[in-house]
Amino acid sequence: MAGALATIVAAACLFLRVVLEYLYRKHATVPVHQRWVSLFVFGSLVCGLGWGVSGAVLLYGASAATQTITVGVACAIVQGAAGRAFMMPGTAFINVALVLGLMAIAAYLDGNYIIIPACVLYYCFLSSFIVQMVGNRMRQLRAEEMNERLLEELTVKNDLLRVANERLAASAFEDPLTGLANRRKFDAAFDEMLVNAHRHQTSISLMMIDVDHFKRFNDTYGHQAGDRCLQVLSTVLNEVISQSGLLARYGGEEFVAILPDSDLSRASVVAERARHAAQLAGVAGKGNCPPPQSVSIGLVSCAVCPGISREMILAAADAALYAAKQQGRNRVCIGSDEGLATSSAT
């Protein structure tokens, strides 16, 4: 009779848990509503009470062997409840107390007093176990939260570092005043274009561009006006040259342009357009800027072969620029194999 009653109570508790689980899976949403939390707490307490009643029924009036088995099963049950205590430690404490308390009462009524201190000791053991486990879980959650925060901060800092590195890499090849390619980028690009021209047997053209009378310009209008003049000229020159090649600031008031896959005829057109664009830049109309400046251009064009080096091309273009200055400035001078040139006047 006691076994049947205990079985009915345990089956009813199990049925209640199954029904709650079914309803939750069918209707619950994420995040979990407070109503579901309350239902699960209620179900857990009812089941704890049910297991306590079942244990007490089996314990009361039973033989010593049956009582031992009952206590062993009860210990397994409350150990399982304690193992889930990190979810709701308060509920676990109550469940353990319900099961062990009702069994201790049954043992006391049956005259088995030794079970009472055993239940008390076991409850103290499980309580310390729950406290330790909850403490470990809380430390784990704090560590996970800190890891997530550090990971997020690291991701942000990595993004900032990547952007900074990209800017640094860009600035390493950029002239700070004009925004054009600097000497370092020009050297690297020139070498690469020479290799490509030699591989594909194509021509390459080089222009050396110098702002006319720039020292006198600086002395007359000041260095700020000179900087502004270089900025305006670099903008208009780049608008013309960037369609065909690379314009770089070579140093001071001197610019250099590489035109890959460009013969003399095509390069001459680009050079003349650049010279006219500089002359018509309209610097004077921009605030307190000085009047427009002209530029002199030395141009050399050649088919790249093993006997042609970058130094030879640069020297020929520089000689052509010198010739343009000697012939009156504001003109394009085309370098020959001997380093001299015919000129295209204003």
Side-chain angles (χ1 to χ4, degrees):
M1 183 64 181
L5 180 59
T7 302
I8 292 173
V9 174
C13 293
L14 181 61
F15 178 75
L16 176 62
R17 298 292 289 269
V18 171
V19 170
L20 288 176
E21 181 73 14
Y22 171 77
L23 293 176
Y24 173 73
R25 292 182 178 275
K26 185 177 181 180
H27 301 290
T29 58
V30 177
V32 179
H33 193 273
Q34 181 62 38
R35 181 171 65 91
W36 287 107
V37 176
S38 301
L39 284 175
F40 276 114
V41 170
F42 171 75
S44 178
L45 294 176
V46 169
C47 289
L49 178 62
W51 282 110
V53 170
S54 298
V57 169
L58 290 175
L59 191 79
Y60 184 75
S63 63
T66 301
Q67 289 182 346
T68 302
I69 295 174
T70 301
V71 171
V73 173
C75 288
I77 293 173
V78 294
Q79 184 66 46
R84 297 188 299 273
F86 64 89
M87 298 178 183
M88 290 184 177
T91 305
F93 278 118
I94 297 174
N95 278 337
V96 172
L98 285 174
V99 175
L100 296 180
L102 291 176
M103 291 180 62
I105 292 173
Y108 175 78
L109 294 177
D110 195 47
N112 190 347
Y113 306 116
I114 192 63
I115 292 182
I116 297 176
C119 288
V120 172
L121 289 174
Y122 192 52
Y123 182 80
C124 293
F125 164 75
L126 287 181
S127 297
S128 62
F129 172 76
I130 292 173
V131 170
Q132 183 65 36
M133 186 174 58
V134 171
N136 292 339
R137 178 58 177 169
M138 294 303 296
R139 285 190 288 271
Q140 179 186 2
L141 290 176
R142 285 193 293 269
E144 290 175 355
E145 182 181 357
M146 180 176 293
N147 286 340
E148 291 178 359
R149 185 171 65 253
L150 291 176
L151 180 60
E152 183 178 352
E153 292 177 359
L154 181 61
T155 302
V156 172
K157 291 185 182 299
N158 281 339
D159 289 340
L160 293 176
L161 181 61
R162 176 181 54 79
V163 173
N165 286 336
E166 290 174 354
R167 290 177 179 174
L168 182 62
S171 65
F173 294 98
E174 183 180 284
D175 177 61
L177 177 64
T178 63
L180 297 176
N182 60 12
R183 180 73 172 270
R184 180 185 299 176
K185 184 172 182 179
F186 162 75
D187 290 338
F190 194 15
D191 288 338
E192 182 179 353
M193 291 180 185
L194 282 174
V195 171
N196 290 334
H198 181 262
R199 180 184 299 120
H200 300 291
Q201 295 296 302
T202 57
S203 298
I204 191 169
S205 298
L206 182 72
M207 291 192 297
M208 298 290 290
I209 307 169
D210 189 78
V211 182
D212 295 331
H213 302 295
F214 189 72
K215 183 179 185 306
R216 187 170 61 190
F217 184 97
N218 254 348
D219 294 340
T220 303
Y221 298 102
H223 290 286
Q224 287 186 341
D227 289 346
R228 177 58 180 158
C229 179
L230 290 177
Q231 290 172 339
V232 173
L233 288 177
S234 65
T235 299
V236 297
L237 290 172
N238 195 47
E239 288 176 355
V240 175
I241 295 171
S242 62
Q243 303 173 19
S244 306
L246 173 70
L247 176 67
R249 188 182 181 194
Y250 203 60
E253 71 274 18
E254 198 169 37
F255 302 90
V256 62
I258 323 169
L259 307 178
D261 195 18
S262 180
D263 56 18
L264 182 58
S265 175
R266 181 181 175 188
S268 298
V269 173
V270 175
E272 281 294 345
R273 287 178 56 202
R275 185 182 67 80
H276 282 290
Q279 192 174 15
L280 300 175
V283 183
K286 299 181 182 299
N288 297 322
C289 289
Q293 287 292 103
S294 61
V295 296
S296 298
I297 300 177
L299 170 64
V300 63
S301 182
C302 63
V304 180
C305 61
I308 299 294
S309 67
R310 58 175 289 168
E311 288 76 17
M312 294 173 60
I313 298 175
L314 284 168
D318 194 57
L321 175 62
Y322 179 78
K325 291 181 178 181
Q326 290 295 105
Q327 296 176 23
R329 293 182 170 83
N330 191 21
R331 64 189 63 232
V332 177
C333 202
I334 301 171
S336 65
D337 290 341
E338 290 77 22
L340 197 73
T342 59
S343 72
S344 173
T346 310

